[in-house]
Amino acid sequence: MSDPPSPRPRPGIGAVAALALRTGLLAFGGGFAVVSRVRRSVVEERRWIDENAFVEHLAVASALPGTNATNLIIMLSHRFAGVRGAIAAAVCYITPSALMMIAFGAAYDRMRGVAAIDAAFEGLAAAVVGLVASIAYEMRKGAIKRRSDWLFAIGVAVALSMQWLSLLSVVAIAAALGVILSRGEVPPSRTPPPPADAAESLDAPPPSRSFAAPIVLAAIAPAGAVLSLFLGFAKISVATFGGGFAMIPALAHESVSQGWVDERAFADAIALGQITPGPVAISATFIGFRVAGIAGAAAATLGIFLPPAILAILAVRSLARFRTSKLVQGALRGVSPAVVGIIAAASFQMWAAAAQTWVSGAIAVVTLAVRVAWPRSSPLIPLFAGGCVTLGLRLLAIRF
């Protein structure tokens, strides 16, 4: 049996930007669907990186706050083409879906004014409830490994659902408890150091002294609203672990409590984030546009993606230290089961807003059942099915 082909030389900025743009245009499903597409491109097709190094980057990307797929793209692009490559890839990956969400935001009032589209949105929002609940179910396998983890996840879900604690408080308490509990456990054996050539391949290229030009806001909006959007979403992005779906509870609380959107518009934003390519967290762009136009959309997008991007660039430059840090591993020991409870609480809160009729409730339950039975199926299927059900019933003039 022949040895697998060795990785090719590092690509340049243009190559990584082109790959990120193609991913941002065509990668539907978010999360691990994007990760799978990136792996196929960089490991199997282009052979820019070997399997072991890819897994190493993915592990660190998943341990960082923010969206896993975005973190991974930034880290790989930094490895291939430095800081400028990471910036170019992030912009190319996020921009297509951001522009789509701005278009949806501009047409939203007219869309909601059309009875047929309004009915379809009800089905989409109900299906999102089931999708979010299914994510909590799927994540339990990797995040909950002990009986105490179950109790912790349930406690987090109850505390957030009853609004006894804020999301930031839950994350801080979970990280602190994880550090305390991990001290009494036997530390895992460390991975032996890679061979000299492999270690060299994991080194990131030297940092670039050139940075991308700042983004110019294309519309005038009250500075207070724009700053509030940026700070609000930045706070969420650095405090949320577990990917884009884990951000939904904080996004809902911040958006509704600040009066940016109501519960119905928020559920629609999540649904639109699901049916567009790219990261689910792009729903923030829709919310920002509804508040302050193009400037608000830019501020919300930067807030939700920029802080985790900076952390991803810092992490990729010290992969070994990040992976072997006892403090980091201890914090993740507590945060991992908390994420399951956080997402479960989000599904409960969204149920109260979106599943207000027997039809929408049935769509949410069926969506959850389908995702549990066929976890590898595309999330777009139940979304479009839910929209078609409520649209069909409205066209048939059946009350629900």
Side-chain angles (χ1 to χ4, degrees):
M1 184 175 180
S2 61
D3 294 332
S6 59
R8 294 176 179 173
R10 288 191 181 103
I13 295 176
V16 297
L19 176 61
L21 180 61
R22 186 158 47 250
T23 304
L25 286 169
L26 302 176
F28 290 87
F32 289 104
V34 178
V35 169
S36 176
R37 184 182 184 91
V38 171
R39 179 197 165 277
R40 185 169 63 250
S41 297
V42 301
V43 176
E44 297 179 359
E45 297 174 359
R46 293 167 174 80
R47 301 202 306 274
W48 289 347
I49 192 173
D50 61 33
E51 186 74 42
N52 291 335
F54 179 84
V55 172
E56 179 88 1
H57 284 73
L58 176 58
V60 177
S62 301
L64 294 171
T67 61
N68 299 340
T70 309
N71 291 341
L72 177 64
I73 289 173
I74 290 171
M75 292 178 67
L76 289 174
S77 300
H78 183 279
R79 173 208 171 107
F80 298 143
V83 175
R84 286 182 295 174
I87 294 173
V91 171
C92 289
Y93 173 59
I94 295 168
T95 297
S97 53
L99 293 177
M100 293 179 197
M101 296 302 284
I102 289 173
F104 281 131
Y108 180 70
D109 290 331
R110 293 189 294 274
M111 292 166 61
R112 267 301 194 175
V114 178
I117 297 178
D118 186 70
F121 266 115
E122 291 184 29
L124 287 171
V128 167
V129 176
L131 284 175
V132 174
S134 72
I135 294 296
Y137 178 82
E138 293 171 15
M139 290 186 66
R140 86 196 191 286
K141 299 177 183 177
I144 298 180
K145 301 176 182 178
R146 311 165 185 82
R147 184 177 300 177
S148 60
D149 291 344
W150 275 110
L151 296 176
F152 197 33
I154 293 172
V156 167
V158 172
L160 288 176
S161 298
M162 301 300 294
Q163 298 183 351
W164 293 339
L165 294 172
S166 67
L167 181 64
L168 285 175
S169 299
V170 166
V171 172
I173 293 171
L177 288 176
V179 172
I180 295 171
L181 293 174
S182 64
R183 290 180 178 178
E185 298 176 349
V186 178
S189 59
R190 295 192 179 187
T191 305
D197 56 346
E200 183 179 356
S201 69
L202 285 175
D203 290 339
S208 170
R209 297 184 181 273
S210 174
F211 294 88
I215 295 178
V216 179
L217 301 181
I220 298 176
V226 173
L227 181 60
S228 177
L229 284 164
F230 175 79
L231 294 178
F233 286 116
K235 176 181 65 177
I236 293 169
S237 68
V238 297
T240 309
F241 296 81
F245 278 100
M247 291 184 178
I248 291 176
L251 289 173
H253 174 76
E254 191 77 12
S255 301
V256 175
S257 65
Q258 293 284 350
W260 293 338
V261 293
D262 57 22
E263 288 88 349
R264 186 169 100 162
F266 177 78
D268 292 341
I270 299 299
L272 292 171
Q274 279 285 294
I275 65 176
T276 54
V280 176
I282 203 66
S283 303
T285 305
F286 175 92
I287 297 169
F289 182 85
R290 297 291 299 171
V291 176
I294 298 295
T301 305
L302 285 173
I304 207 71
F305 291 111
L306 180 59
I310 294 173
L311 293 177
I313 290 174
L314 294 175
V316 77
R317 301 187 58 80
S318 53
L319 279 177
R321 284 181 293 174
F322 186 91
R323 293 289 308 279
T324 57
S325 169
K326 293 182 179 180
L327 184 63
V328 171
Q329 296 303 318
L332 293 177
R333 157 77 167 82
V335 170
S336 293
V339 167
V340 177
I342 289 170
I343 299 177
S347 64
F348 175 80
Q349 293 166 352
M350 295 182 69
W351 171 277
Q356 297 182 350
T357 66
W358 69 268
V359 173
S360 56
I363 290 173
V365 172
V366 170
T367 298
L368 173 59
V370 168
R371 292 290 295 173
V372 169
W374 295 282
R376 294 184 178 273
S377 61
S378 171
L380 295 177
I381 296 175
L383 280 171
F384 283 114
C388 288
V389 167
T390 50
L391 174 59
L393 292 176
R394 180 66 60 87
L395 292 177
L396 292 173
I398 298 176
R399 292 193 60 176
F400 54 88

